[in-house]
Amino acid sequence: MELLKRIEETARRDGSRSAYRSRDGEISYRDLWENSGRLAGYLQEKLPSDGSPLIVYGHKSFMMPVCFLACVRSGHPYCPVDTGMTKTRIRDIAGIVGQLFILAPETEDTGIFGSGYEVLGQKECFQAAQEGPKILNCPERNGEESFYIIFTSGSTGKPKGVVITCDNLEHYLQWSSGLAGGIAEGSVFLDQAPFSFDLSVMDLYTGLYTGSTVIAVDKTLQQDSLAMMAFLTANHVEYWVSTPSFAEVCLAEPQFDEIRLKTIKAFLFCGETLPVKTAAMLKNRFPAAKVINTYGPTESTVCVTAVEITNEMIRRGGALPVGMPKPGTKILIQPDNQEVLILGDTVSPGYFRDLEKTEAAFFTGYEGVCGYRTGDTGHFDEEGLLYCDGRLDRQIKLHGYRIELDDVETNLLKIDGVSQAAVVPFVRKGKVGGMNAFVVVDQCQIPQGFHGRKRIREELGKLLPSYMIPKRVIILDELPLTANDKIDRKRLERTR
Ligand code: AMP
């Protein structure tokens, strides 16, 4: 696989170059290759070579990329699970993955998965990466083998695992390494998104593919903008990869500009709408940097379109384009409902062990090419640039996170005493600002008023990650209905 060959090559040629750095330490290309090889050797001895996926549980330590590569090099796809997820979500994912052996390189709390699991904790992971048997050569990977599985919110209340193959990733990297005019060897990338969000693939693997250094900022550091900026300045970050929401949080800090962050060459955005105002502020604060908007779902390996946002596009106002499809990808707009269909070499073969959902969302197009129905609506302008117009379903993007409103509702209904639930988004400053949950409760079990609302939020917090908890919970005697006796969500959206 070209990605692995390139990492090995950089390790051989310039082994001391830093591959990945976070606040807890850094790892050079030489050690990344050597340690992932030893951990891979350990895994090969420990596990049958059945290609089963392995969960890697952690956040941003330098052992995370070691574990990812070790899984892949030992013939197992990995499934990244961030420490920010709730116990219930983690156990749901572990149940679907079905592998009883887990890598947890940042914790000794190996009980989080429940009984029956064998968890390789921090110390043991580190030891196996240092002392494991060396795998001598890198096995050739069949392009159709899975490289990673990333779980996203699913409308039934259970997450679904998107399988990305070695070929999918390789095709993506051939293109992403040419973004922003081409990524030079030895560049520096910002890594901000959790590894369980596929935006992180853009910086981690485009970085490693191009022999660059990946600078990871953990959740705690992200909450202190000034400290984070000092960290990024000290590490000479050149390629900023994040959601627009994250850049907006940074823009609230007046010192977020080219005087402090001198080395920024480009902002690469994906995952949600890039508001024209955000692009304008970035152009103003970083006149020499490129602002690039990209679009795509996890099901088609990070993103499949890109465009550099020009001053002219900003001046025109209105929605910004998301760009033109990459080579190897075709985008079609369904004439009847304007749905965006993606066909091409980065489209996933489907959801892990979920034939029903796979058949509903994926299809085979011309000459056997894989296709995916995005659920997004869009159109092309006369220059061939794609614009995203909205959604056909009840999926939203909140601060870059993908959320199925039905997922939140299903989990609300799991709470004892909640008999009905409707979750609706609200809009703030022209984009989704959050969710409100309207519930009907059994008053014998859940009190009305503050205590009841608090209890529901707390119970939901045990089931869902914090970004999926509605801002407000409103208890009603009954939910309003439309003339057809459906829940009147439009009316709830107008309710303050
Ligand atoms: P995810 O799988 O989490 O990356 O989410 C994919 C979804 O995010 C897409 O189907 C779109 O709805 C939305 N999305 C991604 N990139 C953009 C963009 N540049 N502009 C608008 N929406 C986007």
Side-chain angles (χ1 to χ4, degrees), residues 152 197-199 244 269-274 293-299 302-303 305 320-322 372 374-376 388 390-391 395-397 400-402:
T152 69
F197 178 12
D198 85 333
L199 177 58
F269 290 119
C270 190
E272 61 179 350
T273 304
L274 171 63
N293 196 15
T294 75
Y295 155 83
T298 307
E299 285 84 343
V302 192
C303 55
T305 69
L320 291 172
V322 297
Y372 173 66
T374 62
D376 294 317
C388 286
R391 290 286 307 172
Q395 179 181 301
I396 61 162
K397 271 294 174 122
Y401 290 108
R402 174 167 157 177

Side-chain angles (χ1 to χ4, degrees), residues 203-222:
D203 48 76
L204 179 64
Y205 291 118
T206 310
L208 297 179
Y209 191 78
T210 54
S212 299
T213 300
V214 179
I215 304 295
V217 290
D218 57 79
K219 261 218 174 72
T220 315
L221 185 58
Q222 289 177 31

Side-chain angles (χ1 to χ4, degrees), residues 336-347:
D336 53 340
N337 59 2
Q338 274 67 55
E339 182 173 20
V340 175
L341 307 183
I342 301 176
L343 291 114
D345 55 17
T346 54
V347 173

Side-chain angles (χ1 to χ4, degrees), residues 34-108:
E34 169 78 15
N35 294 356
S36 61
R38 287 188 182 273
L39 186 53
Y42 171 91
L43 294 174
Q44 277 177 341
E45 276 190 4
K46 170 102 196 152
L47 301 169
S49 49
D50 55 3
S52 56
L54 292 176
I55 287 182
V56 179
Y57 174 69
H59 184 50
K60 287 292 176 195
S61 87
F62 68 87
M63 278 300 288
M64 293 298 278
V66 173
C67 289
F68 298 161
L69 292 181
C71 292
V72 173
R73 291 176 67 187
S74 64
H76 297 270
Y78 69 90
C79 169
V81 172
D82 190 73
T83 46
M85 285 188 192
T86 61
K87 200 196 267 184
T88 312
R89 210 62 171 180
I90 293 169
R91 290 183 178 188
D92 278 349
I93 292 175
I96 298 169
V97 168
Q99 163 66 257
L100 296 176
F101 181 78
I102 284 168
L103 294 166
E106 293 181 23
T107 182
E108 294 301 345

Side-chain angles (χ1 to χ4, degrees), residues 67-204:
C67 289
F68 298 161
L69 292 181
C71 292
V72 173
R73 291 176 67 187
S74 64
H76 297 270
Y78 69 90
C79 169
V81 172
D82 190 73
T83 46
M85 285 188 192
T86 61
K87 200 196 267 184
T88 312
R89 210 62 171 180
I90 293 169
R91 290 183 178 188
D92 278 349
I93 292 175
I96 298 169
V97 168
Q99 163 66 257
L100 296 176
F101 181 78
I102 284 168
L103 294 166
E106 293 181 23
T107 182
E108 294 301 345
D109 173 17
T110 52
I112 184 118
F113 292 91
S115 58
Y117 288 95
E118 185 185 348
V119 182
L120 201 70
Q122 188 172 35
K123 244 190 252 146
E124 293 165 303
C125 260
F126 195 73
Q127 196 176 352
Q130 297 289 322
E131 297 164 16
K134 207 167 179 167
I135 56 166
L136 291 174
N137 53 5
C138 175
E140 264 310 315
R141 297 297 311 262
N142 167 355
E144 285 174 13
E145 282 174 45
S146 311
F147 190 95
Y148 65 74
I149 298 173
I150 284 187
F151 278 80
T152 69
S153 174
S155 54
T156 52
K158 289 256 189 257
K160 50 189 186 202
V162 181
V163 175
I164 295 299
T165 65
C166 296
D167 274 354
N168 290 152
L169 181 62
E170 207 95 290
H171 291 134
Y172 168 74
L173 293 171
Q174 280 162 13
W175 171 71
S176 67
S177 55
L179 284 172
I183 311 291
E185 185 179 350
S187 297
V188 183
F189 277 82
L190 163 68
D191 169 73
Q192 171 266 327
F195 288 122
S196 48
F197 178 12
D198 85 333
L199 177 58
S200 61
V201 168
M202 187 188 284
D203 48 76
L204 179 64

